[in-house]
Amino acid sequence: MTYRPQAPVPLPRAILLATAAAFAAVALSHLVGWAVSQYLEALHTTPDANIGAGLALLLLPVPLAPVLVWPLVRMVRLPYPALTALAVALPYLLSAMGVWQLCMSFTDPAPPFVSVGFLAVADALALTVVLAATAVLTTRHHARALRDR
């Protein structure tokens, strides 16, 4: 069931809650990516053949973050969490892959700011922008629906 508050949510509060949910989703997804990469490294100790650990560390958080958005948006009690999470998925995936390809396009030696931490921050900013914009739209729609009742 979709949560719909009885009073309209103010836009600054919606943006703040969406920002908190976005940063939490990216942090959790990068933590899962790190855990999977550590598991793969422990499972296969051959350093040259352990490409899967690096791929898990870099690529797993990108599709996992939009999946984690729905329970987090529901937890912070924004209106229409399922609609918000569905609307966020495709724009976030496109922007995150664009950021990832931009970061990976640097040649060796890579600049020091191109790291997993930099990718996590860039992913968090991309998800924050998309989720905040979507939360503003769904919050305005909810306020309009409450006003028309």
Side-chain angles (χ1 to χ4, degrees), residues 19-87:
T19 301
F23 273 94
V26 169
L28 287 173
S29 66
H30 276 274
L31 186 63
V32 168
W34 176 80
V36 169
S37 73
Q38 294 300 311
Y39 174 73
L40 290 175
E41 282 184 24
L43 196 61
H44 301 286
T45 58
T46 308
D48 294 338
N50 208 351
I51 296 172
L55 288 176
L57 184 63
L58 293 176
L59 293 179
L60 187 61
V62 174
L64 191 59
V67 172
L68 292 173
V69 161
W70 176 73
L72 292 171
V73 168
R74 188 171 166 87
M75 188 184 330
V76 296
R77 303 188 67 85
L78 281 173
Y80 306 113
L83 179 66
T84 303
L86 282 174

Side-chain angles (χ1 to χ4, degrees), residues 9-21:
V9 178
L11 286 182
R13 183 173 185 266
I15 292 171
L16 182 65
L17 292 175
T19 301

Side-chain angles (χ1 to χ4, degrees), residues 102-123:
L102 179 70
C103 290
M104 293 300 135
S105 66
F106 294 111
T107 59
D108 282 331
F113 63 85
V114 178
S115 64
V116 176
F118 178 75
L119 285 173
V121 170
D123 285 344

Side-chain angles (χ1 to χ4, degrees), residues 128-145:
T128 299
V129 169
V130 173
L131 186 58
T134 307
V136 165
L137 291 175
T138 56
T139 301
R140 283 187 178 171
H141 173 72
H142 178 258
R144 195 173 309 125

